[in-house]
Amino acid sequence: MERQARTDKFTEVEDRYAGYIVYDQHYEKMGNVDDLFVDENDSPQYIGVKMGFLGTRSTLIPFEMVRVNDARQTIKVAADKETLKNGPTFDHEREITPEFENEVYSYYGLKRPSTTQESPTYAPYYTEQSTQTTGVANPTDMSNEDEVRVQRTEEELRVGTRERKAGSIRVRKRVRTDHERIEVPTRHEEISVERVPVEGEASETEIGEDEIVVPVTEEEIVVHKRPVVKEEVRIRKEVVEDTEVVEEDVRREEVEVEDETKRRGGGH
């Protein structure tokens, strides 16, 4: 597959991931998407990630290892930072050959999909790219009608967000024992004895011993406890949007042109 013959779909896919920030599996920043490789169906197959501002080589990562978050323009790779830093790299002078692809898959412990066709070589695309990004052309190769194109680049600050655990709220119920005092009115019976003198003849009742039992009652306090719902604690989470200021140094190139030509006749 030659990368010059780009379809509209490929251009759309390439633009979609341009500049996405790449993180490792622990959300440590690795770099930005520097290149994209697609198969004959224009489906992403690899991404190239340039790590570090001064790096001249890019790390080739199989697309099956990544998870894309389009909302935040981020890509998370299923590998740690150290593994990715030491992964197979390439530049415009190295062809993406089937042997190199096997090296990449072997390094990450992946199995390449079996295919009946020979894997494509991606060299033509990088040949095309190298003519656009080398900076200053060699003056000895220029004809009178050639032009020199010097690209000026600068770093662009892109800021995204990611969720992290800020803390937690714990709600506990504890049992506290209080001493309460309640006055309860009660009633009881008391016995009073009154002796009243009586005169007259006795009835036919015989004189003898006898016993009468008079019951005496009182109210007894009975204490019963039962649980009663007194209060309900409701906990809600709300999303509050704030604005924070991010400050970071960015670098940009400046192009200076010095005319050192000398013409006959004393002119400059």
Side-chain angles (χ1 to χ4, degrees):
M1 176 182 60
E2 295 187 359
R3 293 292 294 274
Q4 292 100 327
R6 303 182 180 182
T7 64
D8 293 338
K9 181 180 178 181
F10 167 74
T11 304
E12 177 184 348
V13 172
E14 182 186 48
D15 293 342
R16 172 185 173 186
Y17 300 118
Y20 273 37
I21 302 175
V22 180
Y23 295 92
D24 74 348
Q25 62 184 5
H26 303 299
Y27 282 103
E28 290 193 47
K29 183 178 178 181
M30 302 302 304
N32 295 77
V33 175
D34 182 57
D35 219 319
L36 177 69
F37 299 87
V38 299
D39 58 17
E40 61 274 8
N41 297 320
D42 286 340
S43 298
Q45 189 172 8
Y46 300 97
I47 60 171
V49 181
K50 188 177 293 296
M51 301 183 187
F53 295 123
L54 301 178
T56 59
R57 302 179 65 85
S58 298
T59 300
L60 190 67
I61 301 174
F63 201 77
E64 63 185 85
M65 294 179 58
V66 308
R67 186 175 65 185
V68 180
N69 187 328
D70 290 318
R72 297 182 177 180
Q73 293 190 338
T74 60
I75 291 180
K76 181 181 178 183
V77 184
D80 57 44
K81 185 174 184 179
E82 194 65 25
T83 300
L84 295 174
K85 286 175 60 177
N86 297 323
T89 60
F90 65 94
D91 55 21
H92 66 275
E93 296 180 353
R94 181 168 187 176
E95 296 181 355
I96 310 300
T97 62
E99 291 76 18
F100 182 53
E101 293 183 77
N102 289 332
E103 177 186 344
V104 172
Y105 271 80
S106 176
Y107 176 80
Y108 291 110
L110 302 175
K111 183 178 180 181
R112 287 193 61 191
S114 58
T115 176
T116 57
Q117 298 179 352
E118 183 179 355
S119 299
T121 298
Y122 297 95
Y125 173 69
Y126 281 97
T127 302
E128 175 193 5
Q129 287 293 94
S130 63
T131 61
Q132 299 177 359
T133 59
T134 51
V136 182
N138 188 348
T140 60
D141 297 334
M142 295 177 58
S143 64
N144 294 333
E145 297 181 358
D146 283 338
E147 67 176 2
V148 177
R149 296 187 181 185
V150 179
Q151 292 187 346
R152 187 189 68 83
T153 62
E154 64 181 48
E155 295 174 345
E156 180 178 323
L157 189 61
R158 291 192 177 185
V159 180
T161 61
R162 66 178 181 184
E163 291 185 0
R164 68 176 181 89
K165 186 176 180 180
S168 60
I169 296 177
R170 297 183 180 180
V171 181
R172 297 187 180 92
K173 291 200 305 182
R174 293 188 174 92
V175 177
R176 186 185 68 181
T177 302
D178 294 334
H179 184 76
E180 293 189 2
R181 179 190 176 103
I182 301 177
E183 294 186 357
V184 181
T186 59
R187 298 186 302 171
H188 66 276
E189 296 178 341
E190 294 183 353
I191 299 299
S192 63
V193 179
E194 183 180 0
R195 298 176 183 271
V196 181
V198 178
E199 294 182 359
E201 296 182 0
S203 62
E204 297 180 356
T205 305
E206 297 181 358
I207 297 176
E209 295 183 359
D210 193 6
E211 181 179 341
I212 299 175
V213 178
V214 179
V216 179
T217 62
E218 67 177 359
E219 291 181 342
E220 181 183 12
I221 296 177
V222 179
V223 179
H224 175 69
K225 293 184 288 185
R226 63 186 179 92
V228 179
V229 177
K230 293 293 187 179
E231 185 182 34
E232 183 178 70
V233 178
R234 299 181 180 180
I235 300 174
R236 298 184 179 91
K237 290 199 308 181
E238 297 181 357
V239 177
V240 180
E241 294 187 357
D242 292 332
T243 301
E244 297 186 10
V245 178
V246 177
E247 297 183 2
E248 187 67 34
D249 294 332
V250 294
R251 301 177 304 167
R252 57 175 54 89
E253 297 176 342
E254 295 182 354
V255 178
E256 297 180 357
V257 180
E258 296 183 4
D259 189 354
E260 297 181 351
T261 59
K262 295 183 179 180
R263 299 181 179 84
R264 289 176 299 176
H268 293 280

